[in-house]
Amino acid sequence: MILRACTATPTKLPKSPSPISSPNQTHFTFSSSNSNSNTNQNLSLGHAAKYTDAIVTWTSSIAHHCKSGHLVKAAAEFVRMREADVEPNYITFITLLSACAHYPSRASISFGTTIHAYACKLGFHVNDVMVGTALIDMYAKCARVDSARLVFDHMGVRNLVSWNTMVDGYMRNGRIEDALQVFDGLPAKNAISWTALIGGFVKKDYHEEALECFREMQFTGVEPDYVTVIAVIAACANLGTLGLGLWVHRFVMTQGFRNNVRVSNSLIDVYSRCGCIELARQVFDGMRHRTLVSWNSIIVGLAVNGLADEALNYFNSMQKEGFEPDGVSYTGALTACSHAGLVDEGLRIFENMKSVHRIAPIIEHYGCLVDLYSRAGRLEEALNVLKNMPMKPNQVVMGSLLAACRTQGDIEFAENVMIYLIDLDSGGDSNYVLLSNIYAAAGKWDGANKVRRRMKERGIQKKPGFSSIEIDSSIHKFVAGDKSHEDNDHIYAALELLSFELQLCGYVPDFYGKESYEDDSIL
């Protein structure tokens, strides 16, 4: 998340060091008792102008390299600047530190630390709030958040940007308790402060906490900006909270975000993921301006909701409108082909992606290809794709093939896939459970128990699945046999009533999988 600049009044801390004069400051000499006073003044001003011009020239050259992502060239230019006896100013430091933050690596953190040391020599780390804040941002984005905190604690002057950057730094590094502690100590909170928390929660998959934080923000009377709204919509999409998503949409319509393309793209995503594809289409059709992300959102949304033909129509329309498809566009098109069983069309699109648009397939594209073959029952071809893909298959790709084995009832093939999975040393539980269920569906309890013993030997724990339901924009989660809900008695009473009515209608429950879980204690 990019923190926007604010104009908050700097907060002076107690016992801060007295400001020191920076070596690059120009001192002007005026003499009223000398007849050559005007001459002296002009000479001093001329020297200052030349010195300032040199700093600007060097800093501009460094900024050019930083903007192009050439940090090594920027570092070399900085060295030449020092060899020319030109001292950097605060803009030079901020430019270099921002580049290190934007391209985090071992080299950038090493160079950033060197820049920090030089800033300390000149006193910028304490007395210049912008340099201090840039240091916090650099260390946080390079995963050195403790170093960022040291800079924060030693700043002589802080402003709201400094505080917000520290909160964001803790959140992006998963230090949520520390972030909340700094947040609570903020002298004042603005939309950026709240967004640092909300966006951080969303990125770490704490979506319920993000929504709770948004509610608290509403109570404090702080108006959210479009970045806040996008983060909240993302939380709604991940939780499937359609009610809150609708509320946010109404809020967007009453504020200045109505024509914000990024907000509209997020609304398309939340409606698609909540299964309300018609609402997603309405948002898309009502957009004055569309980006490639807008087209990708509606294509993927249509594809995952089973509207393959429409997804492919939008994929073609996008190109007619002059938009060049990217990897996400092709993921949507391949997903559509997979759901519709259009194997030949999917293979054509995959080849078109590589040969015409020169897009190198990533694991999501190969996963779509495996799913395409798997859903068509062409398991051998799916396994060949999996074996020949240039990267290690993940749980999703393997699960797609195993799910097809279950649909086809091909236990032998599932066993071969699982052998390949074990060779990959996958530590996930989902595919083991899926194989166990394949055995159980065929009544092979020995095979199911063997899988469970293997999980125990490998130290793999089965993660409990859960169901969720949205009531009044709040999410309620349940796991099997869960009796911890505050309305537990009412819930089970309703379930008993439903079960009784189903039996009256002739329904007979299927307990085929119950025996396979007799040995669940080992999980």
Side-chain angles (χ1 to χ4, degrees):
M1 180 176 61
I2 300 174
L3 293 174
R4 282 104 35 225
C6 74
T7 58
T9 303
T11 303
K12 293 192 176 182
L13 303 179
K15 298 182 181 180
S16 60
S18 59
I20 62 175
S21 179
S22 178
N24 67 319
Q25 290 179 335
T26 304
H27 299 276
F28 300 102
T29 303
F30 298 93
S31 177
S32 59
S33 60
N34 194 319
S35 60
N36 295 323
S37 60
N38 290 335
T39 303
N40 292 337
Q41 179 180 343
N42 290 335
L43 287 173
S44 298
L45 287 171
H47 174 74
K50 288 180 180 179
Y51 187 74
T52 303
D53 288 344
I55 297 174
V56 171
T57 301
W58 282 104
T59 302
S60 296
S61 179
I62 291 170
H64 172 74
H65 292 308
C66 290
K67 187 176 181 181
S68 303
H70 300 141
L71 189 57
V72 174
K73 291 182 179 179
E77 194 76 352
F78 178 72
V79 172
R80 286 193 289 270
M81 177 183 182
R82 291 295 303 115
E83 290 174 346
D85 290 328
V86 178
E87 290 283 12
N89 62 8
Y90 74 99
I91 298 176
T92 316
F93 283 118
I94 293 170
T95 301
L96 289 167
L97 292 170
S98 298
C100 293
H102 194 67
Y103 303 100
S105 66
R106 286 186 178 180
S108 60
I109 189 61
S110 177
F111 180 59
T113 303
T114 302
I115 295 298
H116 183 188
Y118 200 77
C120 289
K121 179 182 176 182
L122 302 181
F124 280 103
H125 69 304
V126 172
N127 300 298
D128 192 295
V129 67
M130 296 177 69
V131 173
T133 302
L135 282 166
I136 295 170
D137 188 52
M138 184 271 295
Y139 280 122
K141 288 179 178 176
C142 291
R144 300 286 184 87
V145 70
D146 287 329
S147 297
R149 183 57 188 265
L150 284 173
V151 174
F152 179 80
D153 288 341
H154 285 85
M155 290 176 70
V157 179
R158 300 173 191 152
N159 63 12
L160 192 52
V161 180
S162 312
W163 287 85
N164 290 343
T165 304
M166 193 66 250
V167 173
D168 180 65
Y170 272 134
M171 290 300 290
R172 73 168 57 247
N173 285 278
R175 301 271 291 271
I176 294 174
E177 290 299 325
D178 291 321
L180 290 172
Q181 183 183 35
V182 175
F183 181 82
D184 290 339
L186 271 164
K189 299 178 179 69
N190 62 1
I192 302 171
S193 314
W194 287 98
T195 303
L197 274 188
I198 295 170
F201 278 129
V202 171
K203 289 175 183 176
K204 297 300 178 182
D205 291 329
Y206 291 102
H207 305 296
E208 292 179 75
E209 288 80 358
L211 295 181
E212 184 61 34
C213 191
F214 177 65
R215 292 188 184 98
E216 188 175 344
M217 177 184 181
Q218 295 288 290
F219 287 136
T220 62
V222 177
E223 288 292 329
D225 60 14
Y226 80 95
V227 182
T228 319
V229 171
I230 291 171
V232 171
I233 294 173
C236 294
N238 284 295
L239 288 174
T241 53
L242 179 60
L244 186 56
L246 289 165
W247 182 91
V248 174
H249 193 176
R250 287 194 295 271
F251 176 81
V252 166
M253 299 301 286
T254 61
Q255 301 296 315
F257 313 127
R258 179 191 296 266
N259 296 317
N260 188 296
V261 175
R262 293 180 62 188
V263 171
S264 296
N265 293 342
S266 298
L267 287 171
I268 294 171
D269 181 56
V270 70
Y271 285 137
S272 298
R273 294 172 69 175
C274 289
C276 300
I277 196 62
E278 285 303 320
L279 291 176
R281 201 199 314 265
Q282 286 178 24
V283 174
F284 180 83
D285 291 341
M287 294 177 69
R288 292 183 182 178
H289 305 285
R290 301 186 185 111
T291 63
L292 181 60
V293 176
S294 312
W295 285 96
N296 287 346
S297 298
I298 193 65
I299 290 168
V300 173
L302 289 164
V304 298
N305 280 277
L307 302 173
D309 292 336
E310 293 184 55
L312 293 175
N313 288 337
Y314 274 87
F315 180 72
N316 294 326
S317 297
M318 175 188 73
Q319 296 176 71
K320 291 177 182 178
E321 292 285 335
F323 288 91
E324 190 83 6
D326 63 0
V328 179
S329 313
Y330 276 103
T331 299
L334 289 169
T335 301
C337 292
S338 177
H339 281 260
L342 303 174
V343 178
D344 293 336
E345 178 67 9
L347 294 175
R348 185 192 68 78
I349 289 174
F350 187 79
E351 288 302 318
N352 180 273
M353 177 183 71
K354 295 190 297 181
S355 60
V356 177
H357 293 281
R358 304 293 181 183
I359 298 175
I362 58 176
I363 192 167
E364 284 78 11
H365 300 126
Y366 285 107
C368 288
L369 210 57
V370 170
D371 193 53
L372 184 70
Y373 280 126
S374 297
R375 288 174 181 264
R378 296 161 65 168
L379 303 183
E380 287 290 349
E381 290 165 287
L383 184 58
N384 285 335
V385 171
L386 190 144
K387 287 182 176 180
N388 295 317
M389 57 195 289
M391 69 283 294
K392 180 179 177 180
N394 58 19
Q395 290 268 334
V396 177
V397 177
M398 299 298 298
S400 176
L401 187 51
L402 279 173
C405 293
R406 181 178 184 179
T407 302
Q408 300 292 324
D410 195 332
I411 297 177
E412 183 179 352
F413 196 87
E415 290 173 337
N416 292 333
V417 172
M418 202 64 189
I419 290 172
Y420 184 67
L421 177 65
I422 293 172
D423 289 339
L424 292 173
D425 194 30
S426 175
D429 69 302
S430 58
N431 290 326
Y432 284 93
V433 174
L434 185 54
L435 180 61
S436 176
N437 290 339
I438 292 173
Y439 280 123
K444 295 191 174 184
W445 312 116
D446 289 341
N449 290 329
K450 183 179 178 181
V451 172
R452 298 173 188 287
R453 285 193 294 272
R454 185 179 297 163
M455 289 177 68
K456 183 179 181 181
E457 291 168 0
R458 297 172 68 87
I460 298 173
Q461 296 289 326
K462 179 180 179 294
K463 298 175 184 177
F466 66 87
S467 300
S468 64
I469 184 171
E470 179 190 4
I471 302 174
D472 295 332
S473 299
S474 295
I475 295 294
H476 301 264
K477 292 183 179 180
F478 303 91
V479 298
D482 191 355
K483 295 185 178 181
S484 60
H485 196 276
E486 58 183 6
D487 292 322
N488 173 69
D489 294 338
H490 299 292
I491 292 170
Y492 275 90
L495 282 174
E496 289 180 8
L497 180 60
L498 286 172
S499 178
F500 178 72
E501 291 183 356
L502 285 169
Q503 291 177 32
L504 289 178
C505 295
Y507 172 75
V508 178
D510 184 2
F511 294 106
Y512 79 86
K514 186 175 182 180
E515 185 177 347
S516 68
Y517 287 91
E518 289 178 350
D519 198 25
D520 267 355
S521 59
I522 67 171
L523 298 181

